[in-house]
Amino acid sequence: MHTVVETDVLIVGSGPAGASAALALSTYGVRNMVVTRYASLADTPRAHITNQRTMEVLRDLGVEDEVIAKATPQHLMGNTTFCTSLAGDELGRVRSWGNDPLVQAAHELASPTRMCDMPQHLMEPVLVNAAIARGTDFRFSTVYKSFAQDEAGVTVTVEDRLRGDEYTVRAKYLIGADGGRSKVAEDAGLPMGGQMGVAGSINIVFDADLSKYTAHRPSTLYWVLAPGATVGGIGAGLVRCVRPWNEWLIVWGYDVSAGAPDLTEEYALSVVRQLIGDDEIPVTIKSSSAWTVNEMYAETYANGRVFCAGDAVHRHPPSNGLGSNTSVQDSYNLAWKLKLVLDGVASPALLDSYTVERAPVGKQIVTRANRSIAETAPIFEALDGLSPQTPERLWANIAARKDATEAAARQRAALREAIAFKVYEFNAHGVDLNQRYASAAVVPDGTPDPGFDHDPELHHQPTSRPGAKLPHAWITSGTRTLSTLDTVGKGRFTLLTGIGGEAWLRAAEAQPLDIATVVVGPGQEYEDPYGDWARLGEISDAGALLVRPDGYVAFRHADAAEDAERLLTDALRRILGHG
Ligand code: FDA
């Protein structure tokens, strides 16, 4: 007998995109099922940089503390070092990932959270365990094969790899979170731009006590400029800390046109030895794998009832650490919309805003990550190290920067400048936080786009203009200090107002959906003792912000309004896709 299993949302894949979709949906009380190809979660560290926006998402989903407890903290992440090997010459450092004092201040002002280093093999269990605890039906060793959709749902054929048979899952919606070789995206015919297989890379995971070379300049990344380091790969050789200072992952390139080298233990050891530069250090190779640098993004993230998220729709190198962050944020954007549509509160038209809002972000991060690779070349250029040459010549060029000559002084200046320019990879706070949406799920308030006062890739600029994320400000409630972001989320819309905003509160109560209300002001449930919210909110006390479940401002009215109920009702009708 052919089994048919029913669910509301079927998710293919248990990586950062699939696991966070499951967690958000279960948190919101939506019936969901995950099928995933293998018998275990990620068994290698893979993605790791976890930015503030992702931490805000995890905070709302109730797993921030667990992630912090397991992650390497921010202060150990950020002396990105350029060197000839760990034991060799140091060429310079970039204070990274919010560890520059000025950037650190910007991080503290932007968010209640801190970024951290959470390797994927530790992150996935946190997300999946919480999802299962909240109701996700999770099926390992189950492979997506095909789907067919009709007006009422999606019929998906999956293969149970243990039993060796196939069965059918009938779902109302399907999420393809099946990674960079997504079959769901292919079957859905999602149009892709860009190119796969731009360069070849090898990951080598190993154990070694490298504290002698790293603990005094703690970092997540040590970049090695050595002979062969510009062939393929991600711009240079990379020694990445997985756990300080004993677990490591090396990324090393290969010529993609020649194919991946034979990944023997001997080969892996030779690469590790070259990048460490000290043969006395005991090394245990744990695994090696080859992958390619891709530069692809989908123009459309959905086809009917089928949605794709994560690497399924944006494929790029690890530069800037954007892979799992963007994947988690895709799913967070989609989950509340599915919830409201499944509940019958929103029209299916709301789901159109998923592509409109997230596809530009996907394109932006693919472009940024690949540009970051190219921006490593000037470091080699400063050392006259790009053109084909012998290792001896490269070492001589690198040594020449120590000379007391004008040419050496120029070389030192060029090297400093090239290394400093890498802030666009290692301190791109704006890339992490500046996403602003323009879609039907956001109601413009007629104000002009404030744009950005500073470089939008490097600097975050908060605004409460509809389409932007609610600005973070520390407020209080009794003895508790909390972020404005802590007052929103949990799968609900929230209306924020202040003294004199009673008409907005009545308008919120009159709506057919559950809207949380927040009043900030002296003697109210929430107070603004620092005046931060008054400065950042960009509304008067009697004005209102309507914030979506994902923390984005959907509607803003700067002042009191006599017809608040009509204004809010009209806005919600548009946001929820009812025309
Ligand atoms: P992800 O690839 O994580 O997950 C896809 C999921 O779908 C998996 O659970 C898979 O088993 C499942 N699946 C696929 N096909 C299926 C099917 N037909 N049926 C059922 N299940 C299916 N990034 C970074 O920043 N730094 C790094 O060093 C690395 N290194 C790295 C190494 C390797 C080997 C990989 C594969 C990837 C990286 N990445 C990385 C990229 C990073 O891991 C990636 O951006 C995120 O994991 C994307 O998350 P997703 O959930 O979208 O896909």
Side-chain angles (χ1 to χ4, degrees):
M1 192 182 72
H2 193 79
T3 314
V4 179
V5 179
E6 288 196 7
T7 189
D8 283 340
V9 182
L10 174 66
I11 301 158
V12 180
S14 55
S20 51
L23 176 57
L25 289 169
S26 282
T27 306
Y28 302 159
V30 175
R31 194 166 59 136
N32 68 92
M33 177 190 293
V34 173
V35 292
T36 191
R37 180 188 290 276
Y38 299 110
S40 68
L41 301 175
D43 57 357
T44 54
R46 301 182 196 178
H48 56 123
I49 304 291
T50 305
N51 67 32
Q52 284 184 298
R53 181 56 192 150
T54 299
M55 292 304 286
E56 289 173 359
V57 170
L58 300 178
R59 185 178 174 99
D60 181 43
L61 297 177
V63 293
E64 182 196 18
D65 289 346
E66 197 179 343
V67 170
I68 290 171
K70 293 184 171 150
T72 299
Q74 185 179 21
H75 71 274
L76 295 181
M77 292 172 69
N79 274 288
T80 301
T81 300
F82 292 83
C83 53
T84 58
S85 70
L86 289 189
D89 269 15
E90 180 174 316
L91 303 168
R93 302 179 196 177
V94 183
R95 291 191 187 91
S96 314
W97 315 120
N99 281 290
D100 176 291
L102 287 174
V103 185
Q104 190 170 34
H107 276 233
E108 289 200 13
L109 289 167
S111 173
T113 66
R114 295 232 162 166
M115 69 187 307
C116 62
D117 185 302
M118 183 67 171
Q120 196 168 329
H121 67 302
L122 302 180
M123 179 71 96
E124 286 186 13
V126 172
L127 302 175
V128 168
N129 287 343
I132 292 172
R134 295 175 201 178
T136 294
D137 178 348
F138 195 93
R139 301 184 178 209
F140 280 116
S141 301
T142 305
V143 182
Y144 159 84
K145 304 297 275 188
S146 63
F147 77 80
Q149 61 176 320
D150 53 58
E151 280 192 358
V154 191
T155 302
V156 182
T157 304
V158 299
E159 176 196 348
D160 183 320
R161 297 176 81 191
L162 298 179
R163 287 198 315 242
D165 63 355
E166 293 187 350
Y167 62 94
T168 299
V169 182
R170 177 70 181 166
K172 297 192 175 101
Y173 292 97
L174 170 64
I175 299 179
D178 50 340
R181 302 192 177 280
S182 174
K183 180 158 165 50
V184 178
E186 189 186 328
D187 292 350
L190 302 188
M192 293 276 184
Q195 207 188 333
M196 289 286 267
V198 178
S201 259
I202 294 160
N203 276 8
I204 302 167
V205 184
F206 65 101
D207 287 342
D209 179 359
L210 298 181
S211 47
K212 180 176 168 187
Y213 297 116
T214 54
H216 63 287
R217 45 184 180 182
S219 185
T220 286
L221 306 175
Y222 300 84
W223 292 87
V224 179
L225 281 74
T230 54
V231 178
I234 53 173
L238 175 64
V239 184
R240 171 189 143 191
C241 178
V242 176
R243 306 300 287 168
W245 309 108
N246 299 301
E247 291 181 41
W248 300 89
L249 186 157
I250 274 178
V251 184
W252 186 248
Y254 68 87
D255 179 357
V256 75
S257 62
D262 196 4
L263 298 180
T264 60
E265 179 152 342
E266 192 187 359
Y267 172 82
L269 209 50
S270 72
V271 175
V272 172
R273 290 270 176 243
Q274 182 185 359
L275 271 60
I276 295 177
D278 177 352
D279 291 353
E280 301 299 312
I281 300 271
V283 170
T284 307
I285 304 287
K286 289 161 80 174
S287 69
S288 317
S289 57
W291 53 283
T292 59
V293 173
N294 303 318
E295 189 172 358
M296 288 200 93
Y297 50 84
E299 320 262 343
T300 307
Y301 284 14
N303 175 349
R305 292 174 169 270
V306 180
F307 297 83
C308 284
D311 276 16
V313 278
H314 37 75
R315 300 158 194 176
H316 53 88
S319 326
N320 292 70
L322 295 166
S324 65
N325 287 298
T326 311
S327 304
V328 169
Q329 292 159 31
D330 285 346
S331 293
Y332 189 62
N333 181 290
L334 178 61
W336 69 269
K337 295 172 181 173
L338 285 171
K339 150 89 178 154
L340 291 185
V341 173
L342 283 163
D343 283 355
V345 172
S347 147
L350 171 62
L351 298 170
D352 295 343
S353 66
Y354 173 60
T355 284
V356 177
E357 294 179 352
R358 295 305 297 173
V361 176
K363 182 176 175 182
Q364 180 205 357
I365 58 130
V366 169
T367 310
R368 176 67 255 168
N370 281 283
R371 193 181 304 154
S372 290
I373 289 188
E375 287 168 358
T376 302
I379 300 176
F380 277 91
E381 274 161 19
L383 297 166
D384 195 14
L386 270 184
S387 50
Q389 56 191 305
T390 62
E392 292 71 27
R393 180 74 203 285
L394 179 65
W395 298 136
N397 289 346
I398 289 174
R401 80 191 195 289
K402 298 174 185 169
D403 294 344
T405 61
E406 284 209 3
R410 277 197 303 277
Q411 191 190 28
R412 289 192 292 273
L415 182 61
R416 276 196 301 275
E417 194 184 325
I419 289 178
F421 198 73
K422 292 297 290 178
V423 288
Y424 282 91
E425 178 168 357
F426 305 125
N427 257 327
H429 199 212
V431 173
D432 292 348
L433 292 184
N434 276 344
Q435 283 94 27
R436 294 177 184 171
Y437 300 146
S439 74
V442 167
V443 180
D445 67 349
T447 58
D449 183 345
F452 295 93
D453 297 338
H454 305 283
D455 188 326
E457 289 200 293
L458 296 183
H459 302 283
H460 169 53
Q461 184 166 324
T463 172
S464 72
R465 186 169 183 264
K469 183 168 69 72
L470 178 71
H472 153 69
W474 290 116
I475 54 175
T476 57
S477 182
T479 55
R480 198 159 71 99
T481 300
L482 71 167
S483 168
T484 42
L485 291 172
D486 296 328
T487 67
V488 304
K490 313 277 179 289
R492 298 200 296 176
F493 277 84
T494 304
L495 182 118
L496 287 96
T497 186
I499 291 175
E502 291 78 12
W504 293 112
L505 299 178
R506 284 194 300 276
E509 265 169 37
Q511 302 305 319
L513 73 164
D514 180 24
I515 299 179
T517 52
V518 171
V519 184
V520 185
Q524 308 303 310
E525 186 182 358
Y526 299 97
E527 301 205 28
D528 181 24
Y530 307 103
D532 289 347
W533 178 240
R535 185 171 45 82
L536 290 163
E538 297 175 335
I539 52 171
S540 71
D541 288 348
L545 295 178
L546 181 68
V547 182
R548 309 188 322 189
D550 60 356
Y552 275 74
V553 178
F555 163 82
R556 176 171 78 171
H557 195 88
D559 300 302
E562 284 186 6
D563 54 350
E565 185 171 334
R566 183 186 62 76
L567 289 172
L568 195 64
T569 303
D570 284 354
L572 270 165
R573 189 179 303 126
R574 287 173 66 175
I575 294 160
L576 298 176
H578 294 306

